[in-house]
Amino acid sequence: MTSNGKISRLRYEEGCLGAHALNFIGDRWALLVVRELMFAPKRFQMIRAGLPGVTASVLTQRLTQLAQAGVVAHDDVLGLYALTDAGRALHPVLRELCRWALAIPGHDPSRFISISALMISLSATADRAGAAGLPLRAGFVSGKEGFEVALSADGMPQVRAARAPQADFVLEGSGNALAAAIYGPGPVALASAGLIALRGDRSAAQQFTALFRLTPQTRSSSESPEVTEHAPGDSSI
């Protein structure tokens, strides 16, 4: 966004609110940059480590655009990029994209996944009815990044960055290995095979990871969008 409040480059010249949002975050990689910053500020190279397919020049462009849009702030002294309040407000957008993707064929969980992406996926894949009220706290560590995950009263995973997680158990490994521990064979099997490290309560680790599945999740009535009925033959959507 420019100093006079105008968008620096219009992608869609429409009055649609969705198009207006995409004028700010609609470029390739933009939402994934937001994803990498969702839980903690990062320096350029750490952001890039979570996006191995992006070039340095494209990442620089996206960070500049997101800063102009008021989504990202840059600390010139510390060299850190962080989300603004507007950027953090995109968490539900990322969560709903993940939920939507669960019903779309072709997802390959063996492809690269960053630890930040994995943490966001938890809110989209949780069995919230089964998780509701469980007094479990999980820890995850991958490289220099760590997270604590607790379960809210309604079963929503609450994620916060923590370099040294304090939890019932801690899993440590690459993003893909941790994803396999959550969505695949499970933490005990992977720890026994030496693919991840597992510290703490093994039964708690099994119980926690069993709450997450890569299958479409049932929405509660409060989450369901409005349904618009159309007359037979009316295709004007």
Side-chain angles (χ1 to χ4, degrees):
M1 182 178 289
T2 60
S3 58
N4 62 5
K6 293 183 179 180
I7 303 168
S8 58
R9 179 167 68 88
L10 284 175
R11 296 155 186 80
Y12 308 98
E13 297 190 32
E14 295 187 11
C16 166
L17 283 171
H20 178 59
L22 290 173
N23 280 328
F24 294 93
I25 58 170
D27 278 314
R28 188 182 183 196
W29 297 107
L31 271 178
L32 301 188
V33 171
V34 171
R35 179 198 75 194
E36 289 304 302
L37 293 171
M38 185 55 65
F39 302 108
K42 295 180 181 179
R43 291 185 171 85
F44 185 92
Q45 290 302 332
M46 183 171 278
I47 299 171
R48 195 177 176 194
L51 299 166
V54 73
T55 64
S57 61
V58 169
L59 179 55
T60 298
Q61 292 170 14
R62 294 298 170 267
L63 287 167
T64 299
Q65 291 168 352
L66 290 169
Q68 290 174 343
V71 174
V72 167
H74 182 227
D75 187 320
D76 293 324
V77 176
L78 298 177
L80 289 171
Y81 293 90
L83 293 184
T84 62
D85 289 343
R88 287 187 291 274
L90 287 167
H91 185 278
V93 175
L94 291 167
R95 180 188 68 215
E96 291 306 312
L97 277 174
C98 290
R99 279 187 175 180
W100 182 78
L102 289 170
I104 305 301
H107 172 239
D108 183 356
S110 69
R111 291 180 180 269
F112 173 84
I113 182 169
S114 72
I115 184 66
S116 294
L118 180 60
M119 292 299 101
I120 287 175
S121 79
L122 295 180
S123 61
T125 60
D127 172 9
R128 292 181 59 183
L134 286 180
L136 293 175
R137 183 176 295 272
F140 298 92
V141 175
S142 184
K144 296 180 179 179
E145 297 186 77
F147 299 89
E148 290 178 5
V149 184
L151 301 171
S152 69
D154 64 353
M156 178 63 78
Q158 305 292 312
V159 181
R160 78 174 190 89
R163 182 68 64 87
Q166 302 299 309
D168 298 309
F169 66 91
V170 176
L171 304 181
E172 183 170 0
S174 68
N176 285 79
L178 293 175
I182 296 170
Y183 299 121
V188 172
L190 289 182
S192 298
L195 298 176
I196 63 169
L198 168 55
R199 302 188 297 275
D201 189 331
R202 292 193 164 211
S203 62
Q206 287 291 116
Q207 184 182 11
F208 182 89
T209 56
L211 296 169
F212 303 91
R213 304 181 187 89
L214 291 177
T215 55
Q217 303 296 302
T218 303
R219 290 177 179 271
S220 67
S221 58
S222 62
E223 291 183 301
S224 298
E226 287 187 29
V227 176
T228 303
E229 295 185 4
H230 296 276
D234 181 5
S235 60
S236 57
I237 300 175

